[in-house]
Amino acid sequence: MVQPLNRLKESASQTAGPYVHIGLTPNFCEIGGVYPEDLGTKMVNDKTKGERITVIGRVIDGTGTPLKDALIEIWQADADGLHNSPSETRGTADPNFVGWGRSPGNMDTGEFVFETIKPGRVPFKDGRLMAPHISFWIVARGINIGLNTRMYFGDEEKANEEDPILARIEHRVRVPTLIAPRDGNTYRFDIHLQGEKETVFFDS
Amino acid sequence: MNHANMTNKGPETGAFFQRDREWHPQAFTPWYKTSVTRSPQRALLSMDNTLSEITGPTFGHNILGEHDNDLLINFAKPGETAIGPRIIVYGRVLDERGMPVPNVLVEFWQANAGGRYRHKKEGYVAALDPNFGGCGRTITDENGFYNFRTIQPGPYPWPNGVNDWRPAHIHFSVFGHGFAQRLITQMYFEGDPMIDLCPIVKTINDPEAIRGLTAALDMQATIPMDSRAYKFDIVLRGRRSTLFENRLEGN
Ligand SMILES: [Fe+2]
C-alpha cells in the first residue's frame, strides 16, 4: 500500500438547462428589481484603452438552427495583452477593462453581441506570442458540459499563422472555424455545434 | 521568481489539472434528447492551459446587494416572503486539492415550491408565486464558504420522454480563479427518489459523481422552528504548483 493522494473529484457538470437566463441574466428575462443590472453586459468605458470592436455571432445546432436559450461568456486580455486577474504576474492590466463579458443572445435571433476592444498578444508557455484571441465558454440546454473555444481575428493573418494553438489543429480545413472575418469594426463569429463546419472545441 | 508562489499566499499561476472527461457527462446522451443536435461530434483539441485559461475574472463584494443571497425575500413584496419549505443551503467551494477557493462568485437559480419557473417559455400548470423570483448570488468568504436562504423547489415535468420529471434541484454557476475552472452544475436533495429516474442526472455515468451533487440534510445547522439546512460543497479543478515548471524569461 502507498499513501493516498487525497484528491477530491471535480463536481460533475450538469446542463445549464432552458432557464439559465433566470440565474445569470435575470433582468434580460424580466425578473427585475433583484439586481440593478445583469453582469457582463458592459465591457468598455470611455477610458478603456484599445481599438473598439464589436463581436457578433450565433450558436448553431446540428440542424442549422440558431440557439435562443444559450448563454455565452468571453474572457480576454487588454490592449497590451495583460489579463485583469490576480494570476496575471507580468504587469497590471488596464483598470478600465475587466475583460469578461456575458450575453444571453437576442431573444428572437439568438445573436450575441459583445462591444469590446481588440486584445493584445499573450505569450504561450515558451515565450512565443499567441495570436490575439478571445476565449469563449458556451452553455445551454442540451449541452452537458460547457464548451470552450477561442475566436481569432481574420485580419491577423501573420499572427494566426504562427499561433502555437492553431498550429496544433491536425485537420487544417478546420482552422477557419476559429477565425472571425472582419467587416468594418465588426467581427462575425458563428459557433457550429455539429456538422461540416463544426467549431474546434478545446479540452484545456 | 514570483515570491507569492513560494509562500502559498499570493495568487497562484499554475495550470489546472486535466479534466476527467469520463467523470463528467458525455456530450452525446440521446436519452436526453436535446443533446442529440447540440453535442459536438469531433474530438476536442487538447492543450495544456495557457495564460488565457489560467487567469480569470474576479468579482468584488461591492456588486452584492443586501438580499442577493436570500431568495425568500429578494423578489418579494415588502413584508412578504416566498411560499414553500424554508431552507438554508451552505457549503464550501474547494478545489481538487481540498483547498478552499475564496472570493469567487456563486450564482443559483431554481423553480418555486410548486416546480414552476418564472420564465416566458415555462409551460407547467403549477402556479407562479408572486413573491418568488428564483435567482440569487453570493461570493465565497476567505475560507471558501458560501450560504443562502431559499425555499425547497418542487419537482417538475419536462418535455423529453412522455412522462419525464426532474428531481427537485437548484442550478449553480461557479467561477474559480481561472477561466478554465468555470462550471455549471445542479444540486439535488438527499433522499429524493426522483434522482435515479432523471434522464439529465443519467448523463453522468458514475454513481459517485451523482452522490457528489446530492446535498446532505444537516440537522445540526438547521435553525429550530425556522429553516432546515442542506450542505452542498462544490469542487473545482485543482492546479499545479509552478515551482518546477519552465518560466518565461524575467519571471
Ligand atoms: Fe431546472
Side-chain angles (χ1 to χ4, degrees), chain A residues 20-75:
Chain A
V20 60
H21 298 153
I22 293 178
L24 303 191
T25 54
N27 289 291
F28 168 79
C29 57
E30 294 163 33
I31 299 179
V34 182
Y35 311 144
E37 59 181 7
D38 292 335
L39 291 178
T41 47
K42 197 166 186 299
M43 294 183 69
V44 297
N45 63 37
D46 294 346
K47 293 185 210 138
T48 306
K49 286 189 287 180
E51 183 190 355
R52 267 50 177 180
I53 60 167
T54 303
V55 175
I56 291 183
R58 297 166 298 168
V59 182
I60 298 163
D61 75 12
T63 73
T65 309
L67 273 58
K68 292 173 189 167
D69 50 11
L71 182 105
I72 298 99
E73 290 186 7
I74 63 172
W75 172 242

Short mmCIF file of all heavy atoms in Angstrom, two decimals, chain A residues 20-75:
data_model
loop_
_atom_site.label_atom_id
_atom_site.label_comp_id
_atom_site.label_asym_id
_atom_site.label_seq_id
_atom_site.Cartn_x
_atom_site.Cartn_y
_atom_site.Cartn_z
N VAL A 20 -31.37 29.07 -17.85
CA VAL A 20 -30.10 29.63 -17.36
C VAL A 20 -30.16 31.15 -17.26
O VAL A 20 -29.52 31.76 -16.40
CB VAL A 20 -28.93 29.17 -18.28
CG1 VAL A 20 -29.12 29.62 -19.72
CG2 VAL A 20 -27.59 29.65 -17.75
N HIS A 21 -30.99 31.78 -18.10
CA HIS A 21 -31.07 33.25 -18.07
C HIS A 21 -31.68 33.75 -16.76
O HIS A 21 -31.39 34.87 -16.34
CB HIS A 21 -31.85 33.77 -19.28
CG HIS A 21 -31.20 33.41 -20.58
ND1 HIS A 21 -31.91 33.27 -21.75
CD2 HIS A 21 -29.91 33.16 -20.90
CE1 HIS A 21 -31.07 32.96 -22.74
NE2 HIS A 21 -29.87 32.87 -22.25
N ILE A 22 -32.53 32.97 -16.14
CA ILE A 22 -33.10 33.38 -14.85
C ILE A 22 -31.97 33.61 -13.85
O ILE A 22 -31.96 34.59 -13.10
CB ILE A 22 -34.07 32.30 -14.28
CG1 ILE A 22 -35.32 32.19 -15.16
CG2 ILE A 22 -34.45 32.62 -12.82
CD1 ILE A 22 -36.30 31.10 -14.68
N GLY A 23 -31.00 32.70 -13.88
CA GLY A 23 -29.93 32.79 -12.89
C GLY A 23 -28.86 33.80 -13.25
O GLY A 23 -28.35 34.50 -12.38
N LEU A 24 -28.52 33.89 -14.55
CA LEU A 24 -27.31 34.64 -14.90
C LEU A 24 -27.59 35.99 -15.55
O LEU A 24 -26.73 36.87 -15.53
CB LEU A 24 -26.41 33.77 -15.79
CG LEU A 24 -26.02 32.41 -15.16
CD1 LEU A 24 -24.93 31.74 -15.99
CD2 LEU A 24 -25.58 32.54 -13.71
N THR A 25 -28.77 36.14 -16.14
CA THR A 25 -29.15 37.45 -16.70
C THR A 25 -30.63 37.70 -16.39
O THR A 25 -31.46 37.81 -17.31
CB THR A 25 -28.91 37.50 -18.24
OG1 THR A 25 -29.59 36.38 -18.85
CG2 THR A 25 -27.45 37.42 -18.60
N PRO A 26 -30.98 37.80 -15.11
CA PRO A 26 -32.40 37.89 -14.74
C PRO A 26 -33.10 39.12 -15.31
O PRO A 26 -34.27 39.04 -15.69
CB PRO A 26 -32.38 37.91 -13.21
CG PRO A 26 -30.98 38.23 -12.81
CD PRO A 26 -30.10 37.75 -13.92
N ASN A 27 -32.40 40.24 -15.41
CA ASN A 27 -33.06 41.43 -15.97
C ASN A 27 -33.46 41.22 -17.41
O ASN A 27 -34.49 41.70 -17.87
CB ASN A 27 -32.14 42.65 -15.85
CG ASN A 27 -31.99 43.09 -14.41
OD1 ASN A 27 -32.92 43.59 -13.79
ND2 ASN A 27 -30.80 42.87 -13.84
N PHE A 28 -32.64 40.46 -18.14
CA PHE A 28 -32.91 40.14 -19.55
C PHE A 28 -34.23 39.37 -19.68
O PHE A 28 -34.97 39.55 -20.64
CB PHE A 28 -31.76 39.31 -20.11
CG PHE A 28 -32.03 38.68 -21.45
CD1 PHE A 28 -31.95 39.43 -22.62
CD2 PHE A 28 -32.36 37.33 -21.54
CE1 PHE A 28 -32.19 38.84 -23.85
CE2 PHE A 28 -32.60 36.73 -22.76
CZ PHE A 28 -32.52 37.49 -23.92
N CYS A 29 -34.53 38.49 -18.69
CA CYS A 29 -35.78 37.73 -18.81
C CYS A 29 -36.83 38.22 -17.82
O CYS A 29 -37.62 37.43 -17.30
CB CYS A 29 -35.53 36.23 -18.75
SG CYS A 29 -34.71 35.64 -17.30
N GLU A 30 -36.82 39.53 -17.64
CA GLU A 30 -37.92 40.22 -16.95
C GLU A 30 -38.09 39.87 -15.48
O GLU A 30 -39.19 39.95 -14.94
CB GLU A 30 -39.24 40.01 -17.72
CG GLU A 30 -39.19 40.69 -19.09
CD GLU A 30 -40.27 40.18 -20.05
OE1 GLU A 30 -41.35 39.83 -19.54
OE2 GLU A 30 -40.02 40.14 -21.26
N ILE A 31 -36.99 39.45 -14.84
CA ILE A 31 -37.01 39.35 -13.38
C ILE A 31 -36.27 40.58 -12.89
O ILE A 31 -35.05 40.58 -12.72
CB ILE A 31 -36.36 38.04 -12.90
CG1 ILE A 31 -37.16 36.86 -13.47
CG2 ILE A 31 -36.33 38.00 -11.38
CD1 ILE A 31 -36.63 35.50 -13.11
N GLY A 32 -37.02 41.66 -12.75
CA GLY A 32 -36.43 42.95 -12.41
C GLY A 32 -36.38 43.16 -10.91
O GLY A 32 -37.07 42.49 -10.15
N GLY A 33 -35.53 44.09 -10.51
CA GLY A 33 -35.52 44.51 -9.12
C GLY A 33 -34.67 43.67 -8.19
O GLY A 33 -34.48 44.03 -7.03
N VAL A 34 -34.17 42.54 -8.67
CA VAL A 34 -33.31 41.73 -7.79
C VAL A 34 -31.88 42.26 -7.86
O VAL A 34 -31.26 42.54 -6.83
CB VAL A 34 -33.37 40.24 -8.16
CG1 VAL A 34 -32.51 39.42 -7.21
CG2 VAL A 34 -34.82 39.73 -8.11
N TYR A 35 -31.35 42.42 -9.07
CA TYR A 35 -30.03 43.02 -9.26
C TYR A 35 -30.21 44.31 -10.06
O TYR A 35 -31.05 44.36 -10.96
CB TYR A 35 -29.08 42.11 -10.04
CG TYR A 35 -28.99 40.69 -9.55
CD1 TYR A 35 -28.84 39.64 -10.45
CD2 TYR A 35 -29.04 40.38 -8.19
CE1 TYR A 35 -28.73 38.33 -10.02
CE2 TYR A 35 -28.94 39.07 -7.75
CZ TYR A 35 -28.80 38.04 -8.67
OH TYR A 35 -28.70 36.75 -8.24
N PRO A 36 -29.37 45.33 -9.79
CA PRO A 36 -29.51 46.58 -10.55
C PRO A 36 -29.27 46.37 -12.05
O PRO A 36 -29.86 47.05 -12.88
CB PRO A 36 -28.44 47.50 -9.94
CG PRO A 36 -27.60 46.65 -9.06
CD PRO A 36 -28.36 45.41 -8.73
N GLU A 37 -28.36 45.45 -12.39
CA GLU A 37 -28.11 45.18 -13.82
C GLU A 37 -27.55 43.78 -13.95
O GLU A 37 -27.05 43.21 -12.99
CB GLU A 37 -27.12 46.20 -14.40
CG GLU A 37 -25.79 46.17 -13.69
CD GLU A 37 -24.79 47.20 -14.22
OE1 GLU A 37 -25.17 48.02 -15.06
OE2 GLU A 37 -23.63 47.13 -13.80
N ASP A 38 -27.62 43.23 -15.16
CA ASP A 38 -27.03 41.92 -15.41
C ASP A 38 -25.51 42.06 -15.53
O ASP A 38 -25.01 43.00 -16.15
CB ASP A 38 -27.60 41.31 -16.69
CG ASP A 38 -29.08 40.95 -16.55
OD1 ASP A 38 -29.52 40.73 -15.40
OD2 ASP A 38 -29.79 40.91 -17.58
N LEU A 39 -24.79 41.12 -14.96
CA LEU A 39 -23.33 41.17 -15.01
C LEU A 39 -22.82 40.93 -16.43
O LEU A 39 -23.40 40.17 -17.19
CB LEU A 39 -22.74 40.09 -14.10
CG LEU A 39 -22.90 40.26 -12.59
CD1 LEU A 39 -22.29 39.05 -11.87
CD2 LEU A 39 -22.25 41.55 -12.12
N GLY A 40 -21.73 41.61 -16.76
CA GLY A 40 -21.03 41.30 -18.00
C GLY A 40 -21.62 41.92 -19.24
O GLY A 40 -21.21 41.56 -20.36
N THR A 41 -22.58 42.84 -19.08
CA THR A 41 -23.21 43.42 -20.27
C THR A 41 -22.39 44.59 -20.84
O THR A 41 -22.48 44.87 -22.02
CB THR A 41 -24.64 43.92 -19.98
OG1 THR A 41 -24.60 44.68 -18.78
CG2 THR A 41 -25.59 42.76 -19.79
N LYS A 42 -21.61 45.25 -19.97
CA LYS A 42 -20.83 46.39 -20.44
C LYS A 42 -19.35 46.12 -20.20
O LYS A 42 -18.93 45.96 -19.07
CB LYS A 42 -21.27 47.65 -19.68
CG LYS A 42 -20.85 48.93 -20.32
CD LYS A 42 -21.59 50.15 -19.72
CE LYS A 42 -21.28 51.43 -20.47
NZ LYS A 42 -19.87 51.82 -20.46
N MET A 43 -18.58 46.04 -21.27
CA MET A 43 -17.16 45.67 -21.13
C MET A 43 -16.22 46.86 -21.20
O MET A 43 -15.12 46.80 -20.65
CB MET A 43 -16.79 44.66 -22.22
CG MET A 43 -17.50 43.32 -22.05
SD MET A 43 -16.99 42.10 -23.28
CE MET A 43 -15.29 41.78 -22.76
N VAL A 44 -16.62 47.91 -21.91
CA VAL A 44 -15.70 49.05 -22.06
C VAL A 44 -16.34 50.32 -21.54
O VAL A 44 -17.57 50.45 -21.50
CB VAL A 44 -15.30 49.28 -23.55
CG1 VAL A 44 -14.54 48.09 -24.10
CG2 VAL A 44 -16.51 49.57 -24.40
N ASN A 45 -15.49 51.27 -21.12
CA ASN A 45 -15.97 52.62 -20.80
C ASN A 45 -15.11 53.62 -21.57
O ASN A 45 -14.25 53.22 -22.36
CB ASN A 45 -15.96 52.86 -19.28
CG ASN A 45 -14.56 52.81 -18.69
OD1 ASN A 45 -13.59 53.24 -19.32
ND2 ASN A 45 -14.44 52.27 -17.49
N ASP A 46 -15.35 54.90 -21.32
CA ASP A 46 -14.65 55.94 -22.10
C ASP A 46 -13.14 55.85 -21.96
O ASP A 46 -12.39 56.27 -22.84
CB ASP A 46 -15.09 57.34 -21.61
CG ASP A 46 -16.56 57.58 -21.91
OD1 ASP A 46 -17.12 56.81 -22.71
OD2 ASP A 46 -17.14 58.54 -21.34
N LYS A 47 -12.69 55.36 -20.82
CA LYS A 47 -11.24 55.38 -20.55
C LYS A 47 -10.53 54.09 -20.95
O LYS A 47 -9.31 54.01 -20.85
CB LYS A 47 -11.02 55.63 -19.04
CG LYS A 47 -11.45 57.01 -18.58
CD LYS A 47 -11.07 57.21 -17.10
CE LYS A 47 -12.03 58.15 -16.42
NZ LYS A 47 -12.40 57.70 -15.09
N THR A 48 -11.29 53.09 -21.37
CA THR A 48 -10.65 51.83 -21.75
C THR A 48 -9.69 52.05 -22.91
O THR A 48 -10.05 52.70 -23.89
CB THR A 48 -11.73 50.80 -22.15
OG1 THR A 48 -12.67 50.69 -21.10
CG2 THR A 48 -11.10 49.43 -22.43
N LYS A 49 -8.49 51.50 -22.78
CA LYS A 49 -7.51 51.61 -23.86
C LYS A 49 -7.78 50.56 -24.93
O LYS A 49 -8.19 49.45 -24.61
CB LYS A 49 -6.08 51.39 -23.31
CG LYS A 49 -5.55 52.57 -22.51
CD LYS A 49 -4.07 52.37 -22.21
CE LYS A 49 -3.87 51.30 -21.14
NZ LYS A 49 -2.44 51.07 -20.80
N GLY A 50 -7.53 50.92 -26.17
CA GLY A 50 -7.59 49.92 -27.23
C GLY A 50 -8.61 50.21 -28.30
O GLY A 50 -9.46 51.10 -28.16
N GLU A 51 -8.53 49.44 -29.36
CA GLU A 51 -9.39 49.61 -30.52
C GLU A 51 -10.77 49.02 -30.24
O GLU A 51 -10.89 47.84 -29.93
CB GLU A 51 -8.74 48.90 -31.73
CG GLU A 51 -9.52 49.06 -33.01
CD GLU A 51 -8.99 48.15 -34.12
OE1 GLU A 51 -7.96 47.47 -33.92
OE2 GLU A 51 -9.63 48.14 -35.19
N ARG A 52 -11.81 49.87 -30.37
CA ARG A 52 -13.19 49.39 -30.15
C ARG A 52 -13.60 48.43 -31.26
O ARG A 52 -13.47 48.78 -32.44
CB ARG A 52 -14.16 50.56 -30.14
CG ARG A 52 -14.48 51.17 -28.79
CD ARG A 52 -13.27 51.49 -28.02
NE ARG A 52 -13.57 52.14 -26.74
CZ ARG A 52 -12.63 52.51 -25.90
NH1 ARG A 52 -11.36 52.27 -26.17
NH2 ARG A 52 -12.94 53.10 -24.76
N ILE A 53 -14.11 47.30 -30.86
CA ILE A 53 -14.62 46.35 -31.85
C ILE A 53 -15.95 45.77 -31.37
O ILE A 53 -16.29 45.85 -30.19
CB ILE A 53 -13.64 45.18 -32.11
CG1 ILE A 53 -13.39 44.39 -30.82
CG2 ILE A 53 -12.34 45.66 -32.72
CD1 ILE A 53 -12.71 43.06 -31.03
N THR A 54 -16.69 45.21 -32.31
CA THR A 54 -17.92 44.51 -32.00
C THR A 54 -17.77 43.06 -32.44
O THR A 54 -17.31 42.81 -33.55
CB THR A 54 -19.11 45.16 -32.74
OG1 THR A 54 -19.18 46.54 -32.38
CG2 THR A 54 -20.43 44.48 -32.37
N VAL A 55 -18.13 42.16 -31.56
CA VAL A 55 -18.10 40.74 -31.92
C VAL A 55 -19.55 40.23 -31.93
O VAL A 55 -20.27 40.37 -30.94
CB VAL A 55 -17.26 39.92 -30.91
CG1 VAL A 55 -17.35 38.43 -31.23
CG2 VAL A 55 -15.81 40.40 -30.90
N ILE A 56 -19.95 39.72 -33.07
CA ILE A 56 -21.32 39.25 -33.25
C ILE A 56 -21.29 37.79 -33.69
O ILE A 56 -20.40 37.39 -34.45
CB ILE A 56 -22.05 40.08 -34.34
CG1 ILE A 56 -22.28 41.50 -33.84
CG2 ILE A 56 -23.36 39.45 -34.75
CD1 ILE A 56 -23.05 42.36 -34.82
N GLY A 57 -22.24 37.02 -33.23
CA GLY A 57 -22.30 35.65 -33.72
C GLY A 57 -23.52 34.91 -33.20
O GLY A 57 -24.34 35.47 -32.47
N ARG A 58 -23.63 33.67 -33.64
CA ARG A 58 -24.71 32.81 -33.17
C ARG A 58 -24.13 31.46 -32.80
O ARG A 58 -23.05 31.10 -33.24
CB ARG A 58 -25.76 32.61 -34.29
CG ARG A 58 -26.47 33.88 -34.73
CD ARG A 58 -27.20 33.67 -36.05
NE ARG A 58 -26.26 33.32 -37.11
CZ ARG A 58 -26.61 32.86 -38.31
NH1 ARG A 58 -27.87 32.69 -38.62
NH2 ARG A 58 -25.70 32.57 -39.22
N VAL A 59 -24.87 30.71 -32.00
CA VAL A 59 -24.52 29.33 -31.71
C VAL A 59 -25.54 28.49 -32.48
O VAL A 59 -26.75 28.66 -32.29
CB VAL A 59 -24.59 29.04 -30.20
CG1 VAL A 59 -24.17 27.60 -29.93
CG2 VAL A 59 -23.72 30.02 -29.42
N ILE A 60 -25.05 27.62 -33.36
CA ILE A 60 -25.93 26.94 -34.32
C ILE A 60 -25.88 25.43 -34.09
O ILE A 60 -24.80 24.85 -33.98
CB ILE A 60 -25.48 27.31 -35.75
CG1 ILE A 60 -25.62 28.83 -35.94
CG2 ILE A 60 -26.30 26.55 -36.79
CD1 ILE A 60 -24.86 29.40 -37.11
N ASP A 61 -27.04 24.82 -34.02
CA ASP A 61 -27.08 23.37 -33.74
C ASP A 61 -26.91 22.55 -35.02
O ASP A 61 -26.72 23.09 -36.11
CB ASP A 61 -28.36 23.00 -32.96
CG ASP A 61 -29.62 22.99 -33.83
OD1 ASP A 61 -29.53 23.04 -35.07
OD2 ASP A 61 -30.73 22.91 -33.24
N GLY A 62 -27.02 21.23 -34.87
CA GLY A 62 -26.74 20.32 -35.97
C GLY A 62 -27.75 20.38 -37.10
O GLY A 62 -27.50 19.85 -38.19
N THR A 63 -28.89 21.03 -36.87
CA THR A 63 -29.87 21.18 -37.95
C THR A 63 -29.75 22.53 -38.64
O THR A 63 -30.52 22.85 -39.54
CB THR A 63 -31.32 21.06 -37.41
OG1 THR A 63 -31.65 22.27 -36.69
CG2 THR A 63 -31.50 19.86 -36.50
N GLY A 64 -28.80 23.35 -38.19
CA GLY A 64 -28.63 24.68 -38.75
C GLY A 64 -29.45 25.76 -38.06
O GLY A 64 -29.51 26.89 -38.50
N THR A 65 -30.08 25.39 -36.94
CA THR A 65 -30.93 26.33 -36.21
C THR A 65 -30.13 27.04 -35.12
O THR A 65 -29.47 26.39 -34.33
CB THR A 65 -32.10 25.56 -35.55
OG1 THR A 65 -32.73 24.75 -36.54
CG2 THR A 65 -33.10 26.51 -34.93
N PRO A 66 -30.21 28.39 -35.10
CA PRO A 66 -29.51 29.11 -34.02
C PRO A 66 -30.17 28.86 -32.66
O PRO A 66 -31.41 28.84 -32.56
CB PRO A 66 -29.66 30.59 -34.42
CG PRO A 66 -30.22 30.61 -35.79
CD PRO A 66 -30.88 29.30 -36.03
N LEU A 67 -29.37 28.67 -31.63
CA LEU A 67 -29.89 28.50 -30.27
C LEU A 67 -30.39 29.85 -29.76
O LEU A 67 -29.74 30.88 -29.95
CB LEU A 67 -28.79 27.99 -29.33
CG LEU A 67 -28.59 26.48 -29.25
CD1 LEU A 67 -28.27 25.89 -30.61
CD2 LEU A 67 -27.50 26.14 -28.24
N LYS A 68 -31.55 29.81 -29.09
CA LYS A 68 -32.07 31.03 -28.47
C LYS A 68 -32.05 30.93 -26.96
O LYS A 68 -32.53 31.83 -26.27
CB LYS A 68 -33.49 31.30 -28.97
CG LYS A 68 -33.49 31.67 -30.45
CD LYS A 68 -34.89 31.79 -31.01
CE LYS A 68 -34.81 31.92 -32.52
NZ LYS A 68 -36.12 31.73 -33.14
N ASP A 69 -31.54 29.83 -26.45
CA ASP A 69 -31.51 29.67 -24.99
C ASP A 69 -30.10 29.42 -24.48
O ASP A 69 -29.89 28.80 -23.46
CB ASP A 69 -32.45 28.54 -24.56
CG ASP A 69 -32.24 27.25 -25.35
OD1 ASP A 69 -31.23 27.16 -26.08
OD2 ASP A 69 -33.08 26.35 -25.24
N ALA A 70 -29.11 29.91 -25.25
CA ALA A 70 -27.72 29.72 -24.83
C ALA A 70 -27.27 30.89 -23.97
O ALA A 70 -27.92 31.94 -23.90
CB ALA A 70 -26.81 29.59 -26.05
N LEU A 71 -26.17 30.70 -23.29
CA LEU A 71 -25.50 31.78 -22.58
C LEU A 71 -24.03 31.71 -22.97
O LEU A 71 -23.42 30.65 -22.91
CB LEU A 71 -25.65 31.62 -21.07
CG LEU A 71 -24.97 32.80 -20.35
CD1 LEU A 71 -26.00 33.77 -19.82
CD2 LEU A 71 -24.03 32.36 -19.28
N ILE A 72 -23.51 32.86 -23.38
CA ILE A 72 -22.14 32.91 -23.88
C ILE A 72 -21.32 33.84 -23.00
O ILE A 72 -21.75 34.95 -22.70
CB ILE A 72 -22.10 33.42 -25.34
CG1 ILE A 72 -22.87 32.46 -26.24
CG2 ILE A 72 -20.67 33.55 -25.86
CD1 ILE A 72 -24.26 32.90 -26.56
N GLU A 73 -20.16 33.36 -22.56
CA GLU A 73 -19.24 34.22 -21.82
C GLU A 73 -17.92 34.29 -22.58
O GLU A 73 -17.51 33.33 -23.21
CB GLU A 73 -18.98 33.68 -20.41
CG GLU A 73 -20.19 33.82 -19.50
CD GLU A 73 -19.90 33.41 -18.06
OE1 GLU A 73 -18.73 33.15 -17.72
OE2 GLU A 73 -20.87 33.36 -17.28
N ILE A 74 -17.30 35.48 -22.50
CA ILE A 74 -15.97 35.63 -23.10
C ILE A 74 -14.98 36.16 -22.08
O ILE A 74 -15.36 36.80 -21.09
CB ILE A 74 -16.00 36.55 -24.34
CG1 ILE A 74 -16.41 37.98 -23.97
CG2 ILE A 74 -16.92 35.98 -25.42
CD1 ILE A 74 -16.27 38.97 -25.14
N TRP A 75 -13.72 35.90 -22.32
CA TRP A 75 -12.62 36.31 -21.44
C TRP A 75 -11.43 36.63 -22.32
O TRP A 75 -11.10 35.86 -23.22
CB TRP A 75 -12.30 35.17 -20.46
CG TRP A 75 -11.07 35.39 -19.61
CD1 TRP A 75 -9.94 34.61 -19.62
CD2 TRP A 75 -10.85 36.41 -18.63
NE1 TRP A 75 -9.04 35.10 -18.70
CE2 TRP A 75 -9.56 36.21 -18.09
CE3 TRP A 75 -11.61 37.49 -18.18
CZ2 TRP A 75 -9.02 37.03 -17.10
CZ3 TRP A 75 -11.07 38.32 -17.19
CH2 TRP A 75 -9.81 38.08 -16.66
#
